[in-house]
């Protein structure tokens, strides 16, 4: 066993390595873009790449450096207004829908900001302050926060490129399109009972994964794979978007208001469908998981299929009982088909699309938000949204786990959002 001081140094070195690997990855994701690409905002939901790069840096500056690095010099006081996201306790901020108007500061100025903050973070990590445990906690939050924005950065880039009439590709070398059909849909049954839900033990988690608690689950079954494009086309061809009986009232209103006829980024050319992706405009591959569908669409599809969406507790208990671990990123920024295997448990739980559940995003029993501005991170959004589980093809490696609770409003679909079916055991 290492002496205490050596063990502390080893932990700090590992944290430092993860921190700057994460910081560099954000820059690597932005590297294929032009300066013009980095400033445009495709929708109110999306943010410019430049804003993402600056905001995650602002987070480290405000939550880590200002309170814990003696003598730290703020890079630019105006950045607190420009790059605060929703932290009311930290002052006023630029309106989210108008982030694309921030042509100044320039992208180069944002890169300088990142370098300034990174240098200060290195000084902080090299110091021997008395608040090392608190600094380590905040750095861990900052790493995970930046990883979240790396996924947002990719989905927002896709929204931007899909709005461009040239349909440019983010990844220069797209893989071939597989036109073979999906494997047959199978089911795994689970007995239900009282199960432990939420994060416990070692490892990082967000506050919304706490506290661990008991939940009662009735016997259920879960589809062994995600819903595919081929199945979604059947839904469309059977009048899925034109049949109000399949839809929740708010969902039917959204269909008529927004004119939905297919998943987001789908385009019909003659009798075939294509979908805009980070690899450009590609034919819809039948066996790939359907993606960019709202909760309303996912729920309507499940009703059409005579099934339902799983609750988040069913999803988590199934993943735990089958010993599922978060998949490593393949580097292919598009959901991949399910491959036939001898495993009886569900596949594609991680690394393809976030999976809508039937569960409203609510606090677990006994939940209390953290003190201070950090407490604004999750707790104040626990109304009007639905939980998604798993992770997507755009989720960074190491940023998914069985207990992770993602959440979006039911009408949103610009993220990599899909579904798997559930049903009662007959």
């Amino acid at each position: 066993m290492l002496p205490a001081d050596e063990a502390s140094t080893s932990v700090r070195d590992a944290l430092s390595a993860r921190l700057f690997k994460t910081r560099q990855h954000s820059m690597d994701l932005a590297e294929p873009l032009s300066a013009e690409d980095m400033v445009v905002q495709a929708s109110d939901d999306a943010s410019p790449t430049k804003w993402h790069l600056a905001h995650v840096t602002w987070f480290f500056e405000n939550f880590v450096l200002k309170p814990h690095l003696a003598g730290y010099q703020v890079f630019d006081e105006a950045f607190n207004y420009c790059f605060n996201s929703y932290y009311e306790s930290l002052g006023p901020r630029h309106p989210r829908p108008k982030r694309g108007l921030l042509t100044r500061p320039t992208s180069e100025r944002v890169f300088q900001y990142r370098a300034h903050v990174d240098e200060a973070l290195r000084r902080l990590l090299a110091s021997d302050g008395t608040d090392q445990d608190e600094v380590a906690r905040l750095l861990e939050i900052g790493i995970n926060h930046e990883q979240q924005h790396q996924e947002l950065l990719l989905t927002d880039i896709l929204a931007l490129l899909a709005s461009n009439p040239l349909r440019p590709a983010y990844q220069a070398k797209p893989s071939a399109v597989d036109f073979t059909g999906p494997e047959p849909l199978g089911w795994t049954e689970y007995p239900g009972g009282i199960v432990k839900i939420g994060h416990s033990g070692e490892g990082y988690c967000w506050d919304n994964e706490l506290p661990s608690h008991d939940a009662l689950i009735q016997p259920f079954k879960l589809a062994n794979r995600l819903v595919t494009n081929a199945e979604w086309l059947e839904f469309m061809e059977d009048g899925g978007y034109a049949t109000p009986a399949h839809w929740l009232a708010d969902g039917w209103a959204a269909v008529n208001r927004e004119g939905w006829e297919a998943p987001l980024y789908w385009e019909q050319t003659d009798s075939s469908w294509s979908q805009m992706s980070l690899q450009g405009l590609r034919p819809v591959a039948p066996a790939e998981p359907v993606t960019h569908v709202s909760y309303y669409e996912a729920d309507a599809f499940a009703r059409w299929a005579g099934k339902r969406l799983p609750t988040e507790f069913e999803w988590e208990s199934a993943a735990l009982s089958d010993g599922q671990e978060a998949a490593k990123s393949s580097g292919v920024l598009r959901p991949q088909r399910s491959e036939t295997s001898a495993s009886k448990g569900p596949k594609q739980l991680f690394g393809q699309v976030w999976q809508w559940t039937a569960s409203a995003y609510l606090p677990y029993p006994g939940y209390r938000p953290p003190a201070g501005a950090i407490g604004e991170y999750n707790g104040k959004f626990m109304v009007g949204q639905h939980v998604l589980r798993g992770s997507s093809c755009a989720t960074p490696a190491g940023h998914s786990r069985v207990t992770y609770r993602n959440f979006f409003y039911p009408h949103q679909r610009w993220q990599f959002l899909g579904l798997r079916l559930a049903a009662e055991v007959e």
Side-chain angles (χ1 to χ4, degrees):
M1 181 177 294
L2 290 172
D5 57 342
E6 291 186 29
S8 177
T9 299
S10 178
V11 169
R12 182 161 49 178
D13 288 347
L15 180 63
S16 177
R18 288 181 52 239
L19 169 63
F20 292 110
K21 181 178 180 180
T22 301
R23 296 285 289 160
Q24 182 58 48
H25 185 55
S26 297
M27 295 299 290
D28 292 342
L29 291 175
E31 195 277 332
L33 304 178
S34 68
E36 291 83 358
D37 291 331
M38 291 189 194
V39 74
V40 180
Q41 182 175 15
S43 70
D44 289 355
D45 286 331
S47 296
T49 294
K50 182 179 72 175
W51 188 92
H52 284 297
L53 295 175
H55 167 69
V56 293
T57 305
W58 170 91
F59 188 95
F60 283 111
E61 181 175 66
N62 280 270
F63 288 97
V64 181
L65 294 174
K66 288 171 69 173
H68 296 288
L69 181 60
Y72 175 72
Q73 296 295 313
V74 171
F75 182 77
D76 189 326
E77 293 289 353
F79 280 21
N80 193 60
Y81 178 82
C82 293
F83 301 121
N84 181 0
S85 54
Y86 49 71
Y87 295 92
E88 301 283 354
S89 58
L90 295 182
R93 61 205 181 280
H94 189 73
R96 176 171 180 165
K98 296 184 178 181
R99 290 172 182 170
L101 299 179
L102 291 171
T103 57
R104 306 292 178 93
T106 64
S107 297
E108 186 60 36
R109 179 75 169 160
V110 168
F111 298 156
Q112 293 169 2
Y113 182 36
R114 289 181 66 89
H116 172 87
V117 166
D118 285 352
E119 189 276 330
L121 288 170
R122 289 188 172 90
R123 283 192 282 124
L124 178 63
L125 282 161
S127 65
D128 294 316
T130 58
D131 53 357
Q132 290 186 26
D133 288 345
E134 176 63 6
V135 167
R137 183 184 77 88
L138 292 170
L139 287 174
E140 189 67 59
I141 293 173
I143 290 169
N144 280 269
H145 171 253
E146 183 147 354
Q147 288 177 320
Q148 283 188 324
H149 278 269
Q150 288 166 354
E151 180 162 4
L152 288 167
L153 189 150
L154 286 170
T155 54
D156 291 355
I157 289 171
L158 173 56
L160 174 65
L161 299 183
S163 301
N164 189 310
L166 301 180
R167 302 295 190 272
Y170 171 79
Q171 284 188 325
K173 295 182 179 180
S175 56
V177 177
D178 183 353
F179 288 101
T180 58
E183 64 167 328
L185 186 67
W187 297 87
T188 304
E189 294 189 1
Y190 299 90
I194 297 176
V195 298
K196 189 68 71 176
I197 295 295
H199 192 273
S200 60
E202 301 297 320
Y204 183 80
C205 74
W206 294 114
D207 59 274
N208 65 1
E209 300 170 55
L210 299 170
S212 178
H213 64 285
D214 291 332
L216 176 62
I217 298 176
Q218 301 299 320
F220 70 100
K221 58 183 179 180
L222 198 64
N224 69 332
R225 60 162 173 77
L226 299 167
V227 170
T228 64
N229 289 326
E231 290 157 338
W232 202 270
L233 282 165
E234 292 179 27
F235 169 67
M236 292 164 55
E237 290 165 1
D238 195 39
Y241 281 92
T243 307
H246 301 322
W247 295 81
L248 295 167
D250 286 351
W252 185 242
V255 168
N256 287 280
R257 182 178 63 252
E258 304 297 334
W260 291 345
E261 296 180 341
L264 184 63
Y265 305 138
W266 281 37
E267 301 178 19
Q268 190 169 30
T269 304
D270 297 325
S271 60
S272 62
W273 286 92
S274 295
Q275 183 175 29
M276 185 60 184
S277 73
L278 288 166
Q279 298 174 338
L281 190 64
R282 297 164 46 85
V284 168
E288 290 180 2
V290 68
T291 186
H292 303 298
V293 294
S294 66
Y295 171 80
Y296 294 138
E297 291 165 286
D299 179 78
F301 178 93
R303 292 168 189 262
W304 169 81
K307 308 300 181 185
R308 62 174 175 82
L309 299 177
T311 69
E312 64 166 319
F313 310 121
E314 290 172 337
W315 192 99
E316 183 173 326
S317 66
L320 287 170
S321 64
D322 286 301
Q324 293 281 342
E325 295 182 358
K328 295 181 179 179
S329 174
S330 67
V332 179
L333 300 176
R334 195 184 77 255
Q336 301 295 290
R337 64 174 296 145
S338 173
E339 299 298 339
T340 303
S341 73
S343 172
K344 294 183 178 180
K347 296 171 284 186
Q348 299 179 298
L349 287 176
F350 297 96
Q352 303 302 328
V353 294
W354 288 100
Q355 295 148 61
W356 285 110
T357 74
S359 298
Y361 179 50
L362 296 171
Y364 285 165
Y367 169 80
R368 295 291 182 273
I374 286 289
E376 297 188 57
Y377 199 88
N378 285 309
K380 71 181 186 180
F381 298 110
M382 291 177 173
V383 62
Q385 306 198 56
H386 273 263
V387 174
L388 300 99
R389 291 304 194 104
S391 59
S392 84
C393 56
T395 306
H399 191 70
S400 54
R401 55 190 166 271
V402 170
T403 58
Y404 200 114
R405 304 175 78 202
N406 206 346
F407 53 94
F408 288 103
Y409 290 102
H411 69 277
Q412 291 177 316
R413 47 187 208 157
W414 95 109
Q415 291 290 319
F416 287 95
L417 311 175
L419 70 152
R420 81 172 59 236
L421 298 175
E424 282 69 38
V425 174
E426 298 175 359

